[in-house]
Amino acid sequence: MDNLAFEMHEDAKQNAVSAGKMNATSRMEMKRQWSLMRIFLVCLLACTITTAVGVLILSLVYVNHSQPRSEVHLGLEALQTATIPVVQKAVDPKFQFLNHLPKSKVFEFPGGAIQWARYRNNVKDYVSIEEEAFGSSLNRQRSQMTLGTLRIKSNGLRAPHWHFNANEHGYLAQGTAWIGVVDDGGVVTTYNVTAGQVIFFPKNTVHWIKNVGNEDCFFLLFFSTHDELQTLDVDDVFFSTPEDIASRSLKPEGGINFIRTFRKQKEDQGVNLPPNLAELVVNATYVQSADSQVWRYFYDLKGSKEYQFPGGVIQLAQYWKNRSELSNNEKIFSEFLNQHQNALSLSTLRIYNNGLRQPHFHFNANEMGYVISGCAQVGIINTQGTTEFNIHIGDVVFFPTGTQHYIKSTCDEDLLLILAFSTEDQLQTLDMDDYLQATADHILAQLFFKKQSEFKKIPKFKEDQAINLP
């Protein structure tokens, strides 16, 4: 008897084998079709790219022939400007020590103007790369110095304000002003200053300056910081204070409604001069406080002792360890200055025509100077070599601590500089002739390869040659 089950199994196996062969054949066929499709797509893409490139070339040729030559040239220049970085020119090393302040930005206010020789946190705030080099040098050397010029119109007011991070020292070069200072006990000190006198405001002390003369006041202001100066004006504080807080603090008649009558001006009132000032102020008085108060914040530099040299004159507003030659009022200033950390010392330096402030350096202070009149040649000798440049009215110079420098007057008129030094102690200075005279002849002979007797040719002067005149 035939086994039907076996026969059925065999048939199924054969059918399965046949189906497998058919499936394999189908897969191979589909694979060939997909390969042909990929070849077709690649060819289509290549044709598309070729066509696009051809159209672009034809377009460029058409543009080249249809546009004027000048336009094509300008287009190429614009392309170059957009893609090629601009290489900054090298900054002359002298601008580490020199700032042409008259070329700097003028900050205009209703009552005057301010210009700065200072460090900026944002490099975009510098007018030029030369100004940036000077500001960066002040900051890098930790100079404790910033300089600003303040011009106040007649009847103008430098609004009451204070500085968070610096003492302020001012020299009045022109005009007459009335000063007000409010100390930490709420005591108000007011006094008058004229050209040639010095003012001093300790850090975080509220103060104001009012022009009470007919001509502009022109101040040179030095601040004891090498960082961005931080200042707050009283009007800005008032308008930033919530109305209810201001009302409760001041307790004015009318309460909060009175506070709401104040309107903030659109224009910064840092140096203020309202057009209707005569309507606002009647019978103003400019009183002088007692000397014991005034001389903490004031010094009569033009009336102080003159240190005479063959080639010029120096006067100093500084702390003196030996105060025997000071007046009682000058002693008050000297002591008060010494009590404030990072205060500055001020000086005027007058060099006659062809006079030389001989090479010297300061042990304990950076130096910053402003040219009031005349012109000069300046030399700076440091570890990088010697840098020489000329200075004129309005220029600012900077000499880091320990850096040997000299100043030679080159104009017919006297050179007059106002100088600031970053020390609240007595300034310590050493001149070239002093340290060479103090060095033994045999040491100099060995150093310069000259006979010891040769150094007898360098004379010793009875008169100090700090400012020399042949």
Side-chain angles (χ1 to χ4, degrees):
M1 183 175 175
D2 293 331
N3 192 334
L4 294 176
F6 179 76
E7 288 176 355
M8 290 173 65
H9 180 71
E10 284 292 318
D11 288 339
K13 183 186 276 189
Q14 288 177 357
N15 289 338
V17 170
S18 299
K21 288 181 179 180
M22 289 178 65
N23 289 337
T25 303
S26 298
R27 284 196 299 270
M28 291 179 64
E29 184 66 22
M30 290 175 66
K31 195 170 184 179
R32 280 196 298 270
Q33 291 177 357
W34 175 240
S35 297
L36 290 172
M37 180 63 72
R38 282 195 296 179
I39 292 171
F40 173 76
L41 291 172
V42 169
C43 291
L44 181 62
L45 180 62
C47 290
T48 302
I49 292 172
T50 303
T51 302
V53 171
V55 171
L56 180 61
I57 291 172
L58 288 173
S59 300
L60 290 174
V61 170
Y62 175 77
V63 169
N64 187 51
H65 284 285
S66 62
Q67 283 190 339
R69 297 296 296 176
S70 60
E71 292 183 10
V72 175
H73 182 66
L74 288 172
L76 289 173
E77 284 185 343
L79 182 62
Q80 291 172 351
T81 303
T83 57
I84 300 175
V86 178
V87 179
Q88 274 194 338
K89 67 176 182 179
V91 183
D92 192 317
K94 72 182 181 183
F95 289 107
Q96 299 175 68
F97 315 105
L98 172 67
N99 179 292
H100 292 309
L101 190 59
K103 295 182 179 179
S104 68
K105 181 178 178 179
V106 180
F107 294 85
E108 296 279 359
F109 301 92
I114 297 175
Q115 286 181 284
W116 293 104
R118 65 192 280 186
Y119 168 74
R120 299 283 189 177
N121 288 327
N122 187 348
V123 295
K124 293 181 180 179
D125 290 336
Y126 290 113
V127 172
S128 64
I129 56 174
E130 289 81 10
E131 189 177 86
E132 179 186 350
F134 184 81
S136 299
S137 177
L138 294 182
N139 187 259
R140 185 175 60 254
Q141 298 284 350
R142 304 191 66 80
S143 65
Q144 297 178 18
M145 286 185 162
T146 286
L147 182 142
T149 59
L150 169 64
R151 186 175 295 279
I152 307 177
K153 300 174 185 176
S154 179
N155 290 316
L157 169 71
R158 174 62 182 101
H161 65 284
W162 67 92
H163 309 289
F164 293 92
N165 62 336
N167 300 293
E168 178 180 353
H169 298 254
Y171 176 87
L172 181 55
Q174 172 188 298
T176 305
W178 185 65
I179 309 295
V181 185
V182 184
D183 69 15
D184 58 356
V187 177
V188 181
T189 300
T190 54
Y191 55 96
N192 294 278
V193 295
T194 57
Q197 296 177 327
V198 166
I199 55 178
F200 171 54
F201 308 125
K203 181 168 59 176
N204 293 321
T205 300
V206 176
H207 57 279
W208 66 83
I209 305 172
K210 165 82 173 179
N211 184 344
V212 293
N214 294 322
E215 63 178 341
D216 287 358
C217 280
F218 186 67
F219 281 93
L220 302 171
L221 304 176
F222 297 90
F223 301 88
S224 61
T225 181
H226 47 263
D227 291 320
E228 187 92 53
L229 184 64
Q230 299 174 15
T231 302
L232 196 58
D233 292 349
V234 167
D235 62 327
D236 292 329
V237 175
F238 180 86
F239 288 111
S240 298
T241 303
E243 293 174 343
D244 60 324
I245 300 299
S247 178
R248 289 184 59 179
S249 300
L250 302 175
K251 292 182 169 52
E253 182 181 338
I256 196 169
N257 291 326
F258 175 76
I259 298 298
R260 287 172 177 166
T261 62
F262 288 81
R263 294 288 179 266
K264 185 174 177 63
Q265 299 296 317
K266 292 182 179 179
E267 194 171 9
D268 191 335
Q269 297 299 304
V271 190
N272 172 285
L273 186 58
N276 62 336
L277 182 61
E279 299 174 16
L280 302 175
V281 178
V282 180
N283 297 326
T285 58
Y286 305 105
V287 299
Q288 184 91 350
S289 298
D291 284 353
S292 58
Q293 291 177 243
V294 170
W295 281 81
R296 294 186 300 168
Y297 309 108
F298 166 82
Y299 192 85
D300 184 16
L301 186 56
K302 67 179 180 182
S304 66
K305 179 179 178 179
E306 293 186 346
Y307 293 86
Q308 296 277 352
F309 303 92
V313 181
I314 293 176
Q315 291 178 284
L316 291 157
Q318 67 166 20
Y319 168 73
W320 294 95
K321 292 180 179 178
N322 181 0
R323 297 182 296 280
S324 61
E325 295 186 3
L326 301 180
S327 68
N328 289 333
N329 288 336
E330 289 174 337
K331 289 177 183 177
I332 294 172
F333 180 84
S334 176
E335 288 296 326
F336 191 67
L337 189 69
N338 189 243
Q339 292 171 15
H340 292 84
Q341 188 176 10
N342 296 332
L344 305 175
S345 297
L346 262 59
S347 166
T348 53
L349 170 63
R350 183 179 297 277
I351 305 179
Y352 305 142
N353 176 37
N354 204 34
L356 170 70
R357 176 66 182 99
Q358 69 159 283
H360 64 284
F361 64 91
H362 308 291
F363 291 91
N364 63 334
N366 297 292
E367 177 181 354
M368 181 179 280
Y370 177 94
V371 183
I372 295 176
S373 64
C375 58
Q377 181 186 45
V378 172
I380 298 172
I381 305 168
N382 58 16
T383 55
Q384 285 76 47
T386 301
T387 302
E388 279 193 332
F389 52 86
N390 295 317
I391 56 174
H392 302 85
I393 294 173
D395 283 341
V396 178
V397 290
F398 169 61
F399 308 122
T401 303
T403 300
Q404 178 130 318
H405 55 281
Y406 55 87
I407 305 171
K408 183 180 183 298
S409 177
T410 54
C411 284
D412 292 337
E413 64 176 324
D414 292 353
L415 174 71
L416 180 60
L417 286 159
I418 176 69
L419 305 173
F421 303 91
S422 61
T423 180
E424 69 275 11
D425 291 323
Q426 185 166 316
L427 184 64
Q428 299 172 7
T429 303
L430 191 60
D431 294 338
M432 174 182 272
D433 67 332
D434 290 329
Y435 63 73
L436 282 178
Q437 290 288 357
T439 304
D441 287 348
H442 63 88
I443 298 296
L444 294 174
Q446 183 171 338
L447 174 63
F448 291 104
F449 294 84
K450 292 182 73 69
K451 292 182 179 180
Q452 186 174 342
S453 58
E454 289 288 303
F455 293 95
K456 303 295 184 185
K457 296 178 180 179
I458 301 176
K460 291 184 179 181
F461 296 95
K462 293 181 180 180
E463 193 174 16
D464 193 330
Q465 297 295 304
I467 309 177
N468 180 290
L469 189 64

